[in-house]
Amino acid sequence: MNNSDSYLNQEIKPIICVVGARPNFMKMAPILRAFSNIATEWPVLLVHTGQHYDSAMSDQLFEDLHLPVPDINLEVGSASHAVQTAEVMKRFEPVLDQHHPSCVVVVGDVNSTLACALVANKKGIPVAHVEAGLRSNDRAMPEEINRILTDQLSMRLYTTERSAAANLNREGVSDQNIKFVGNVMIDSLRENIKYAKPYLSTVQAHEPAAVKIFREGKEYGLVTLHRPSNVDDPEILKTLLTTLGKVASQIPLIFALHPRTKNNIEKFKLLSLIDPGNTVLLPPQGYVEMLGLMKDAAVVLTDSGGIQEETTALGVPCLTLRENTERPITIDEGTNILVGSDSDLLLYEINNILNGSGKKGRVPELWDGNAAIRIVEDLRSHFFNKSATF
Protein backbone atom coordinates (compact mmCIF):
# COMPACT_ATOMS: atom_id res chain seq x y z
CA MET A 1 0.00 0.00 0.00
CA ASN A 2 0.99 3.66 0.15
CA ASN A 3 3.38 3.63 3.10
CA SER A 4 4.68 7.15 2.43
CA ASP A 5 3.36 10.05 4.50
CA SER A 6 3.83 12.43 1.57
CA TYR A 7 0.08 12.98 1.30
CA LEU A 8 0.03 14.64 4.73
CA ASN A 9 1.08 17.95 3.16
CA GLN A 10 -1.36 17.66 0.26
CA GLU A 11 -5.08 18.11 -0.14
CA ILE A 12 -5.47 14.41 -0.89
CA LYS A 13 -6.64 12.61 2.21
CA PRO A 14 -6.02 8.86 2.42
CA ILE A 15 -8.64 6.19 2.82
CA ILE A 16 -8.12 3.75 5.69
CA CYS A 17 -9.10 0.11 5.20
CA VAL A 18 -9.47 -1.99 8.35
CA VAL A 19 -9.05 -5.73 8.85
CA GLY A 20 -9.10 -7.59 12.14
CA ALA A 21 -9.86 -11.28 11.78
CA ARG A 22 -9.68 -14.06 9.20
CA PRO A 23 -12.99 -13.38 7.39
CA ASN A 24 -11.98 -9.73 6.90
CA PHE A 25 -8.87 -10.70 4.95
CA MET A 26 -10.84 -12.42 2.18
CA LYS A 27 -13.20 -9.45 1.93
CA MET A 28 -10.56 -6.73 1.91
CA ALA A 29 -8.10 -8.34 -0.53
CA PRO A 30 -10.15 -7.63 -3.69
CA ILE A 31 -10.94 -4.09 -2.49
CA LEU A 32 -7.25 -3.29 -2.10
CA ARG A 33 -6.58 -4.85 -5.51
CA ALA A 34 -9.28 -2.65 -7.04
CA PHE A 35 -7.73 0.46 -5.46
CA SER A 36 -4.33 -0.43 -6.91
CA ASN A 37 -5.84 -1.00 -10.37
CA ILE A 38 -8.38 1.80 -10.81
CA ALA A 39 -7.77 4.42 -8.09
CA THR A 40 -3.99 4.66 -7.96
CA GLU A 41 -4.12 8.39 -7.26
CA TRP A 42 -5.87 7.83 -3.91
CA PRO A 43 -3.55 6.98 -0.97
CA VAL A 44 -4.67 3.87 0.91
CA LEU A 45 -3.58 2.74 4.36
CA LEU A 46 -4.22 -0.83 5.53
CA VAL A 47 -4.76 -1.12 9.28
CA HIS A 48 -4.70 -4.56 10.90
CA THR A 49 -6.13 -4.44 14.41
CA GLY A 50 -4.54 -7.76 15.35
CA GLN A 51 -7.86 -9.21 16.56
CA HIS A 52 -6.80 -12.42 14.82
CA TYR A 53 -3.74 -12.88 16.98
CA ASP A 54 -2.26 -16.10 15.55
CA SER A 55 0.58 -14.50 13.62
CA ALA A 56 1.42 -17.68 11.70
CA MET A 57 -2.15 -18.06 10.42
CA SER A 58 -2.46 -14.35 9.64
CA ASP A 59 0.82 -14.36 7.73
CA GLN A 60 -0.27 -17.41 5.72
CA LEU A 61 -3.62 -15.83 4.84
CA PHE A 62 -1.99 -12.58 3.78
CA GLU A 63 0.35 -14.56 1.53
CA ASP A 64 -2.44 -16.71 0.05
CA LEU A 65 -4.57 -13.66 -0.70
CA HIS A 66 -1.66 -11.55 -2.00
CA LEU A 67 -2.47 -8.95 0.64
CA PRO A 68 0.19 -6.28 1.26
CA VAL A 69 1.90 -6.03 4.61
CA PRO A 70 -0.33 -3.81 6.79
CA ASP A 71 0.82 -0.21 7.11
CA ILE A 72 -0.23 -0.28 10.76
CA ASN A 73 -0.78 -3.22 13.12
CA LEU A 74 -2.56 -2.39 16.37
CA GLU A 75 -1.63 -5.80 17.87
CA VAL A 76 -4.74 -5.99 20.04
CA GLY A 77 -4.85 -9.76 20.52
CA SER A 78 -7.43 -11.89 22.29
CA ALA A 79 -9.72 -10.73 25.10
CA SER A 80 -13.39 -10.63 26.04
CA HIS A 81 -15.72 -8.87 23.61
CA ALA A 82 -15.83 -5.72 25.73
CA VAL A 83 -12.10 -5.53 26.41
CA GLN A 84 -11.14 -6.31 22.82
CA THR A 85 -13.56 -3.75 21.40
CA ALA A 86 -12.37 -1.10 23.83
CA GLU A 87 -8.71 -1.83 23.12
CA VAL A 88 -9.23 -1.50 19.36
CA MET A 89 -10.94 1.85 19.92
CA LYS A 90 -8.11 3.13 22.11
CA ARG A 91 -5.43 2.14 19.61
CA PHE A 92 -7.31 3.20 16.48
CA GLU A 93 -8.06 6.77 17.55
CA PRO A 94 -4.42 7.97 17.33
CA VAL A 95 -4.23 6.52 13.81
CA LEU A 96 -7.10 8.77 12.75
CA ASP A 97 -5.56 11.75 14.51
CA GLN A 98 -2.30 11.25 12.63
CA HIS A 99 -3.60 10.51 9.13
CA HIS A 100 -6.90 12.46 8.88
CA PRO A 101 -8.51 10.05 6.42
CA SER A 102 -11.26 10.95 3.98
CA CYS A 103 -13.07 7.71 4.81
CA VAL A 104 -12.71 4.52 6.85
CA VAL A 105 -13.72 1.24 5.18
CA VAL A 106 -14.74 -1.65 7.44
CA VAL A 107 -15.86 -5.12 6.39
CA GLY A 108 -17.98 -7.83 7.93
CA ASP A 109 -19.13 -8.11 11.52
CA VAL A 110 -16.21 -8.75 13.88
CA ASN A 111 -15.41 -6.65 16.94
CA SER A 112 -12.83 -4.62 15.01
CA THR A 113 -15.50 -3.65 12.49
CA LEU A 114 -17.71 -2.03 15.11
CA ALA A 115 -14.86 -0.56 17.15
CA CYS A 116 -13.25 1.26 14.23
CA ALA A 117 -16.60 2.42 12.86
CA LEU A 118 -17.52 3.91 16.24
CA VAL A 119 -14.23 5.79 16.65
CA ALA A 120 -14.37 7.17 13.10
CA ASN A 121 -18.00 8.23 13.47
CA LYS A 122 -17.35 10.11 16.73
CA LYS A 123 -14.52 11.98 15.04
CA GLY A 124 -16.70 12.99 12.10
CA ILE A 125 -14.98 10.70 9.58
CA PRO A 126 -17.30 8.93 7.10
CA VAL A 127 -17.56 5.16 7.44
CA ALA A 128 -18.21 2.72 4.59
CA HIS A 129 -19.44 -0.75 5.56
CA VAL A 130 -18.88 -3.63 3.18
CA GLU A 131 -21.35 -6.50 3.67
CA ALA A 132 -24.01 -4.28 5.19
CA GLY A 133 -27.59 -5.20 6.01
CA LEU A 134 -27.17 -8.92 6.71
CA ARG A 135 -29.35 -10.04 9.61
CA SER A 136 -29.83 -13.35 11.44
CA ASN A 137 -32.44 -11.73 13.70
CA ASP A 138 -30.69 -13.44 16.61
CA ARG A 139 -29.38 -10.83 19.02
CA ALA A 140 -27.74 -13.50 21.13
CA MET A 141 -25.04 -13.54 18.44
CA PRO A 142 -22.33 -10.94 19.15
CA GLU A 143 -21.88 -10.55 15.39
CA GLU A 144 -25.51 -9.49 15.01
CA ILE A 145 -25.00 -6.61 17.42
CA ASN A 146 -21.85 -5.61 15.54
CA ARG A 147 -23.74 -5.64 12.23
CA ILE A 148 -26.67 -3.54 13.43
CA LEU A 149 -24.55 -0.90 15.14
CA THR A 150 -21.97 -0.65 12.35
CA ASP A 151 -24.74 -0.05 9.82
CA GLN A 152 -26.17 2.73 11.97
CA LEU A 153 -22.76 4.40 12.02
CA SER A 154 -22.05 4.13 8.30
CA MET A 155 -22.53 6.65 5.48
CA ARG A 156 -22.07 4.19 2.61
CA LEU A 157 -23.54 0.71 2.98
CA TYR A 158 -22.53 -1.92 0.43
CA THR A 159 -24.80 -4.96 0.25
CA THR A 160 -24.21 -8.48 -1.04
CA GLU A 161 -27.86 -9.36 -1.69
CA ARG A 162 -30.99 -7.32 -2.38
CA SER A 163 -32.84 -8.42 0.77
CA ALA A 164 -30.27 -6.52 2.84
CA ALA A 165 -31.71 -3.18 1.75
CA ALA A 166 -35.07 -4.04 3.28
CA ASN A 167 -33.36 -4.82 6.59
CA LEU A 168 -31.59 -1.47 6.50
CA ASN A 169 -34.76 0.42 5.55
CA ARG A 170 -36.57 -1.06 8.56
CA GLU A 171 -33.78 0.30 10.74
CA GLY A 172 -34.09 3.80 9.30
CA VAL A 173 -31.28 3.74 6.74
CA SER A 174 -32.05 5.74 3.59
CA ASP A 175 -31.89 4.09 0.17
CA GLN A 176 -29.55 6.85 -1.00
CA ASN A 177 -26.86 5.50 1.34
CA ILE A 178 -27.26 1.88 0.21
CA LYS A 179 -25.51 0.36 -2.79
CA PHE A 180 -26.05 -3.22 -3.97
CA VAL A 181 -22.63 -4.26 -5.28
CA GLY A 182 -22.38 -8.04 -4.95
CA ASN A 183 -20.12 -10.14 -2.77
CA VAL A 184 -16.40 -9.43 -2.29
CA MET A 185 -15.94 -12.89 -0.75
CA ILE A 186 -16.78 -14.28 -4.16
CA ASP A 187 -14.32 -11.86 -5.77
CA SER A 188 -11.60 -13.53 -3.70
CA LEU A 189 -12.88 -16.99 -4.48
CA ARG A 190 -12.93 -16.38 -8.24
CA GLU A 191 -9.47 -14.81 -8.14
CA ASN A 192 -7.90 -17.65 -6.17
CA ILE A 193 -9.76 -20.81 -7.18
CA LYS A 194 -6.98 -21.54 -9.68
CA TYR A 195 -4.57 -21.78 -6.75
CA ALA A 196 -6.75 -24.17 -4.72
CA LYS A 197 -4.70 -27.02 -3.25
CA PRO A 198 -5.84 -30.57 -4.08
CA TYR A 199 -7.55 -31.99 -1.02
CA LEU A 200 -5.40 -35.13 -0.99
CA SER A 201 -2.22 -33.08 -0.77
CA THR A 202 -3.66 -31.20 2.21
CA VAL A 203 -4.55 -34.44 3.97
CA GLN A 204 -1.16 -35.92 3.08
CA ALA A 205 0.64 -32.91 4.59
CA HIS A 206 -0.97 -33.41 8.00
CA GLU A 207 -2.18 -37.01 8.26
CA PRO A 208 -0.28 -39.17 5.73
CA ALA A 209 -1.82 -42.42 6.95
CA ALA A 210 -5.33 -41.06 6.46
CA VAL A 211 -4.94 -40.71 2.70
CA LYS A 212 -5.98 -44.35 2.33
CA ILE A 213 -9.54 -43.37 3.29
CA PHE A 214 -9.87 -41.48 -0.01
CA ARG A 215 -7.66 -43.47 -2.36
CA GLU A 216 -10.54 -45.33 -3.92
CA GLY A 217 -12.03 -42.09 -5.16
CA LYS A 218 -14.63 -41.95 -2.42
CA GLU A 219 -16.68 -38.83 -1.90
CA TYR A 220 -16.06 -36.98 1.31
CA GLY A 221 -17.66 -34.35 3.51
CA LEU A 222 -15.94 -31.31 4.97
CA VAL A 223 -16.74 -30.14 8.51
CA THR A 224 -16.01 -26.81 10.22
CA LEU A 225 -17.34 -25.76 13.62
CA HIS A 226 -16.34 -22.71 15.62
CA ARG A 227 -19.34 -20.78 16.98
CA PRO A 228 -19.53 -20.62 20.78
CA SER A 229 -23.19 -21.65 20.67
CA ASN A 230 -22.09 -24.97 19.12
CA VAL A 231 -18.77 -25.72 20.76
CA ASP A 232 -18.75 -24.12 24.24
CA ASP A 233 -21.56 -26.21 25.77
CA PRO A 234 -20.42 -29.81 26.40
CA GLU A 235 -23.85 -31.34 25.79
CA ILE A 236 -24.40 -29.49 22.52
CA LEU A 237 -20.91 -30.34 21.30
CA LYS A 238 -21.39 -33.97 22.34
CA THR A 239 -24.65 -34.17 20.37
CA LEU A 240 -23.04 -32.64 17.29
CA LEU A 241 -20.05 -34.98 17.41
CA THR A 242 -22.35 -37.97 17.88
CA THR A 243 -24.34 -36.93 14.80
CA LEU A 244 -21.16 -36.37 12.81
CA GLY A 245 -20.13 -39.90 13.77
CA LYS A 246 -23.30 -41.20 12.11
CA VAL A 247 -22.54 -39.13 9.01
CA ALA A 248 -18.98 -40.50 8.92
CA SER A 249 -20.36 -44.05 8.75
CA GLN A 250 -21.89 -43.07 5.38
CA ILE A 251 -19.22 -40.77 3.95
CA PRO A 252 -15.65 -40.05 5.15
CA LEU A 253 -15.24 -36.66 6.80
CA ILE A 254 -12.43 -34.14 6.83
CA PHE A 255 -12.80 -32.05 9.99
CA ALA A 256 -10.79 -28.79 9.94
CA LEU A 257 -10.55 -28.05 13.65
CA HIS A 258 -10.79 -24.48 14.87
CA PRO A 259 -8.57 -23.97 17.96
CA ARG A 260 -11.63 -23.23 20.10
CA THR A 261 -13.29 -26.46 18.98
CA LYS A 262 -10.17 -28.54 19.45
CA ASN A 263 -9.63 -27.18 22.94
CA ASN A 264 -13.21 -27.88 23.96
CA ILE A 265 -13.21 -31.42 22.54
CA GLU A 266 -10.17 -32.11 24.69
CA LYS A 267 -11.51 -30.20 27.70
CA PHE A 268 -14.85 -32.05 27.66
CA LYS A 269 -13.14 -35.42 26.91
CA LEU A 270 -15.13 -36.00 23.72
CA LEU A 271 -12.35 -37.17 21.41
CA SER A 272 -13.58 -40.77 21.63
CA LEU A 273 -16.73 -39.75 19.72
CA ILE A 274 -14.64 -39.15 16.59
CA ASP A 275 -14.00 -42.32 14.58
CA PRO A 276 -10.40 -42.13 13.28
CA GLY A 277 -11.19 -44.74 10.64
CA ASN A 278 -13.69 -42.44 8.91
CA THR A 279 -12.72 -38.93 10.04
CA VAL A 280 -9.53 -37.01 9.35
CA LEU A 281 -8.76 -34.24 11.84
CA LEU A 282 -6.81 -31.30 10.40
CA PRO A 283 -5.48 -28.13 12.02
CA PRO A 284 -6.75 -24.72 10.79
CA GLN A 285 -6.04 -24.40 7.09
CA GLY A 286 -4.88 -21.59 4.84
CA TYR A 287 -7.20 -20.02 2.32
CA VAL A 288 -6.11 -21.97 -0.77
CA GLU A 289 -6.17 -25.22 1.20
CA MET A 290 -9.75 -24.54 2.33
CA LEU A 291 -10.78 -23.71 -1.23
CA GLY A 292 -9.46 -27.08 -2.35
CA LEU A 293 -11.20 -28.90 0.49
CA MET A 294 -14.50 -27.15 -0.30
CA LYS A 295 -14.56 -27.39 -4.09
CA ASP A 296 -14.04 -31.15 -4.16
CA ALA A 297 -16.35 -32.02 -1.26
CA ALA A 298 -19.63 -33.84 -1.78
CA VAL A 299 -21.09 -31.85 1.11
CA VAL A 300 -19.94 -29.24 3.62
CA LEU A 301 -21.24 -29.17 7.19
CA THR A 302 -20.53 -25.86 8.87
CA ASP A 303 -21.62 -23.03 11.14
CA SER A 304 -19.61 -20.42 9.20
CA GLY A 305 -21.38 -17.61 7.39
CA GLY A 306 -18.63 -17.17 4.82
CA ILE A 307 -18.56 -20.87 3.95
CA GLN A 308 -22.30 -20.76 3.29
CA GLU A 309 -21.54 -18.17 0.60
CA GLU A 310 -18.49 -19.92 -0.82
CA THR A 311 -20.25 -23.27 -1.18
CA THR A 312 -23.13 -21.56 -2.98
CA ALA A 313 -20.65 -19.96 -5.41
CA LEU A 314 -18.95 -23.35 -5.91
CA GLY A 315 -22.23 -25.26 -6.31
CA VAL A 316 -21.37 -27.54 -3.38
CA PRO A 317 -24.21 -28.66 -1.05
CA CYS A 318 -23.97 -27.03 2.38
CA LEU A 319 -25.71 -28.09 5.58
CA THR A 320 -25.56 -25.31 8.16
CA LEU A 321 -25.47 -26.39 11.79
CA ARG A 322 -27.31 -23.32 13.05
CA GLU A 323 -30.93 -22.36 13.72
CA ASN A 324 -30.67 -19.19 11.62
CA THR A 325 -28.53 -17.47 9.03
CA GLU A 326 -27.77 -13.86 8.15
CA ARG A 327 -27.24 -14.97 4.54
CA PRO A 328 -30.74 -16.01 3.40
CA ILE A 329 -29.81 -15.84 -0.27
CA THR A 330 -27.69 -18.97 0.19
CA ILE A 331 -30.92 -20.76 1.11
CA ASP A 332 -33.34 -19.01 -1.27
CA GLU A 333 -31.07 -19.31 -4.32
CA GLY A 334 -27.96 -21.22 -3.29
CA THR A 335 -26.99 -24.68 -2.08
CA ASN A 336 -27.45 -24.09 1.64
CA ILE A 337 -29.94 -25.83 3.96
CA LEU A 338 -30.37 -24.99 7.64
CA VAL A 339 -30.41 -28.16 9.74
CA GLY A 340 -29.69 -26.61 13.13
CA SER A 341 -29.31 -29.24 15.85
CA ASP A 342 -31.82 -31.63 14.25
CA SER A 343 -29.88 -34.87 13.86
CA ASP A 344 -32.63 -36.61 11.90
CA LEU A 345 -32.91 -33.71 9.42
CA LEU A 346 -29.15 -33.63 8.93
CA LEU A 347 -28.99 -37.37 8.20
CA TYR A 348 -32.01 -37.09 5.87
CA GLU A 349 -30.30 -34.34 3.86
CA ILE A 350 -27.03 -36.30 3.76
CA ASN A 351 -28.92 -39.24 2.24
CA ASN A 352 -30.49 -36.93 -0.35
CA ILE A 353 -27.09 -35.57 -1.31
CA LEU A 354 -25.47 -39.00 -1.55
CA ASN A 355 -28.24 -40.40 -3.74
CA GLY A 356 -28.10 -37.41 -6.09
CA SER A 357 -31.32 -35.69 -5.08
CA GLY A 358 -29.77 -32.93 -2.98
CA LYS A 359 -30.29 -29.22 -3.47
CA LYS A 360 -28.58 -27.74 -6.54
CA GLY A 361 -28.97 -23.97 -6.27
CA ARG A 362 -27.53 -21.24 -8.47
CA VAL A 363 -25.04 -18.38 -8.18
CA PRO A 364 -26.81 -15.21 -6.96
CA GLU A 365 -27.01 -11.88 -8.78
CA LEU A 366 -23.77 -9.85 -8.98
CA TRP A 367 -21.67 -12.62 -7.43
CA ASP A 368 -19.54 -12.18 -10.53
CA GLY A 369 -16.11 -11.28 -9.17
CA ASN A 370 -16.50 -7.52 -9.73
CA ALA A 371 -18.00 -6.36 -6.42
CA ALA A 372 -14.78 -4.68 -5.29
CA ILE A 373 -14.57 -2.63 -8.49
CA ARG A 374 -18.11 -1.36 -7.90
CA ILE A 375 -17.23 -0.45 -4.32
CA VAL A 376 -14.07 1.46 -5.20
CA GLU A 377 -15.77 3.36 -8.02
CA ASP A 378 -18.58 4.35 -5.67
CA LEU A 379 -16.16 5.41 -2.93
CA ARG A 380 -14.23 7.50 -5.41
CA SER A 381 -17.37 9.22 -6.63
CA HIS A 382 -18.36 10.16 -3.07
CA PHE A 383 -15.05 10.92 -1.39
CA PHE A 384 -12.59 11.72 -4.15
CA ASN A 385 -14.66 13.82 -6.55
CA LYS A 386 -14.47 11.30 -9.36
CA SER A 387 -17.34 9.98 -11.43
CA ALA A 388 -18.50 6.45 -10.93
CA THR A 389 -18.46 4.34 -14.07
CA PHE A 390 -21.37 2.04 -13.41
Side-chain angles (χ1 to χ4, degrees):
M1 302 316 295
N2 296 290
N3 294 309
S4 170
D5 288 341
S6 60
Y7 61 81
L8 291 176
N9 295 320
Q10 302 176 12
E11 292 183 2
I12 300 175
K13 293 183 177 180
I15 189 166
I16 288 181
C17 295
V18 176
V19 294
R22 178 185 175 118
N24 296 166
F25 306 156
M26 284 84 92
K27 295 164 190 173
M28 191 60 77
I31 295 172
L32 296 177
R33 189 165 55 248
F35 270 112
S36 66
N37 289 336
I38 64 175
T40 56
E41 73 279 40
W42 198 357
V44 179
L45 291 175
L46 177 61
V47 175
H48 186 354
T49 68
Q51 179 179 329
H52 186 132
Y53 55 92
D54 185 328
S55 60
M57 281 299 296
S58 288
D59 292 347
Q60 182 61 52
L61 283 166
F62 269 66
E63 181 179 340
D64 289 347
L65 292 160
H66 311 289
L67 273 164
V69 175
D71 298 290
I72 299 165
N73 193 325
L74 303 182
E75 298 181 340
V76 169
S78 180
S80 69
H81 286 286
V83 171
Q84 189 176 68
T85 303
E87 197 60 38
V88 173
M89 292 176 67
K90 284 168 56 181
R91 299 189 188 195
F92 188 56
E93 184 175 34
V95 174
L96 299 183
D97 289 340
Q98 178 183 356
H99 297 285
H100 307 289
S102 55
C103 177
V104 170
V105 178
V106 296
V107 294
D109 54 20
V110 301
N111 289 339
S112 296
T113 303
L114 173 58
C116 292
L118 184 55
V119 175
N121 187 273
K122 282 184 172 289
K123 297 185 79 68
I125 299 168
V127 175
H129 184 203
V130 176
E131 203 180 71
L134 297 180
R135 298 290 182 270
S136 67
N137 298 309
D138 179 4
R139 294 204 177 194
M141 294 176 64
E143 297 90 345
E144 183 78 349
I145 304 304
N146 291 344
R147 294 179 201 118
I148 292 169
L149 295 179
T150 300
D151 286 340
Q152 288 296 314
L153 297 166
S154 299
M155 176 181 289
R156 298 301 293 163
L157 299 102
Y158 298 113
T159 61
T160 61
E161 55 183 84
R162 291 195 182 275
S163 67
N167 295 332
L168 294 169
N169 290 158
R170 281 193 297 271
E171 294 165 8
V173 179
S174 169
D175 278 331
Q176 67 181 9
N177 295 333
I178 303 168
K179 189 75 179 179
F180 172 46
V181 293
N183 195 328
V184 288
M185 282 282 284
I186 309 310
D187 288 15
S188 275
L189 185 150
R190 287 176 173 267
E191 174 69 19
N192 291 286
I193 193 66
K194 56 184 174 290
Y195 304 118
K197 294 285 182 70
Y199 77 92
L200 279 178
S201 70
T202 299
V203 173
Q204 175 78 37
H206 298 282
E207 296 291 340
V211 172
K212 66 179 183 292
I213 296 175
F214 309 101
R215 276 185 176 160
E216 298 177 3
K218 290 182 180 178
E219 294 179 313
Y220 69 92
L222 173 65
V223 180
T224 78
L225 287 174
H226 75 283
R227 292 193 178 275
S229 58
N230 275 334
V231 304
D232 284 2
D233 183 295
E235 288 305 313
I236 292 174
L237 183 56
K238 180 180 179 180
T239 299
L240 281 170
L241 293 178
T242 300
T243 302
L244 291 175
K246 296 176 182 178
V247 174
S249 68
Q250 300 182 60
I251 181 173
L253 296 179
I254 298 174
F255 195 162
L257 278 175
H258 188 280
R260 184 187 200 109
T261 308
K262 179 178 183 294
N263 291 340
N264 284 341
I265 288 174
E266 294 171 352
K267 175 182 175 181
F268 303 143
K269 297 180 170 52
L270 299 175
L271 191 59
S272 62
L273 295 176
I274 299 173
D275 179 2
N278 294 306
T279 304
V280 180
L281 299 180
L282 299 182
Q285 295 298 302
Y287 182 62
V288 294
E289 286 81 8
M290 277 302 294
L291 281 184
L293 292 171
M294 279 190 291
K295 80 178 184 65
D296 291 327
V299 60
V300 175
L301 301 96
T302 189
D303 57 10
S304 162
I307 288 177
Q308 293 172 52
E309 295 176 327
E310 290 167 324
T311 48
T312 278
L314 291 168
V316 175
C318 178
L319 301 180
T320 295
L321 305 171
R322 289 169 49 187
E323 303 299 331
N324 51 58
T325 180
E326 64 283 353
R327 292 162 167 87
I329 200 166
T330 64
I331 295 173
D332 298 340
E333 299 184 19
T335 59
N336 186 23
I337 296 174
L338 282 182
V339 296
S341 57
D342 189 330
S343 177
D344 291 337
L345 176 59
L346 189 155
L347 294 171
Y348 171 78
E349 294 297 346
I350 286 287
N351 285 328
N352 285 340
I353 290 164
L354 295 182
N355 67 28
S357 58
K359 189 176 183 183
K360 304 304 179 187
R362 65 181 181 85
V363 177
E365 181 185 7
L366 293 190
W367 288 25
D368 57 2
N370 296 314
I373 293 173
R374 299 183 188 102
I375 289 168
V376 170
E377 290 283 19
D378 186 74
L379 285 169
R380 188 162 60 170
S381 71
H382 278 82
F383 303 113
F384 199 64
N385 297 319
K386 301 289 183 181
S387 296
T389 59
F390 66 97

